[in-house]
Amino acid sequence: MVLVKHLTALFFFVGVIGVSSGSVYEVGDSHGWNNDSSVDYTSWASTKNFHVGDIIRFVYNPLENNVMQVSRKSFHACNSTDFVSVIISGNDSIPITRPGHYYYICGVPGHCQAGQKVDIRVPKPSSSPAPSASPSSWSPIPPPTEHPSDPSPPAGNAPSPSKNTASPSSIEYYSKWLLAFHLFIAVGFLH
């Protein structure tokens, strides 16, 4: 009977943790992040309901494309010289950590002007839960800042280009199971 209680508690906690995780959106869906005019990234983004906790994934050929996070002004001007950050692995996962706008362009000359840019709009939640530190809140890129006239992040402190080698989805997966394991042990010691 004790084992049944423990297993029930474990499945309950794993279920709660699994429900609270976000969705993974691959930019451009099966077409990915490219400059072949097969995807209208503005239309693509307008059909999605992004939320804090979701992950934006860029899949592309790193020899032909890149991903630059830029300010609102640089986004509209397709200015790739004033960027916030650059990622170049070809398989980049970026967690959404706050509401606001996340502006991304391809910095290869002519690509942004041809439409390879996307504005990820994340609305404020209707009820704001208290922020919590979580092992799955890994982020290779600074979150957007909110400002009434320009909700994009400041572009002054541009880090050097870096490769995104960690996989947030695997980090989330193992973090959830580790948390579930700890809760399982805690429940076992309480009874």
Side-chain angles (χ1 to χ4, degrees):
M1 184 63 178
V2 173
L3 179 61
V4 172
K5 273 186 179 178
H6 289 227
L7 287 175
T8 303
L10 175 66
F11 286 120
F12 171 77
F13 288 123
V14 169
V16 168
I17 293 167
V19 168
S20 66
S21 67
S23 300
V24 176
Y25 292 97
E26 187 169 317
V27 177
D29 294 323
S30 62
H31 297 283
W33 181 246
N34 63 63
N35 190 39
D36 69 4
S37 303
S38 62
V39 180
D40 177 348
Y41 294 105
T42 301
S43 295
W44 175 85
S46 71
T47 65
K48 310 297 184 222
N49 293 313
F50 301 109
H51 301 283
V52 172
D54 290 346
I55 295 175
I56 306 303
R57 189 167 163 233
F58 291 86
V59 178
Y60 56 94
N61 180 342
L63 299 175
E64 299 175 2
N65 300 284
N66 62 33
V67 178
M68 292 183 150
Q69 184 177 19
V70 296
S71 68
R72 178 179 181 267
K73 182 179 176 182
S74 292
F75 176 81
H76 290 292
C78 285
N79 180 358
S80 62
T81 61
D82 188 20
F83 57 88
V84 175
S85 60
V86 179
I87 45 181
I88 57 172
S89 78
N91 189 359
D92 307 313
S93 295
I94 303 165
I96 296 175
T97 57
R98 296 182 188 178
H101 286 258
Y102 291 75
Y103 296 100
Y104 298 101
I105 66 171
C106 179
V108 174
H111 286 204
C112 179
Q113 292 83 349
Q116 194 176 358
K117 62 183 189 173
V118 64
D119 173 4
I120 305 294
R121 296 175 187 157
V122 183
K124 290 182 182 180
S126 53
S127 63
S128 56
S132 65
S134 162
S136 65
S137 63
W138 168 87
S139 179
I141 293 184
T145 57
E146 295 184 53
H147 187 276
S149 64
D150 181 4
S152 65
N157 299 332
S160 61
S162 63
K163 278 198 168 187
N164 175 2
T165 56
S167 168
S169 56
S170 64
I171 292 170
E172 276 186 41
Y173 175 79
Y174 291 112
S175 296
K176 288 177 188 172
W177 279 103
L178 184 61
L179 177 60
F181 177 72
H182 284 271
L183 291 171
F184 178 72
I185 290 174
V187 169
F189 286 120
L190 293 175
H191 292 191

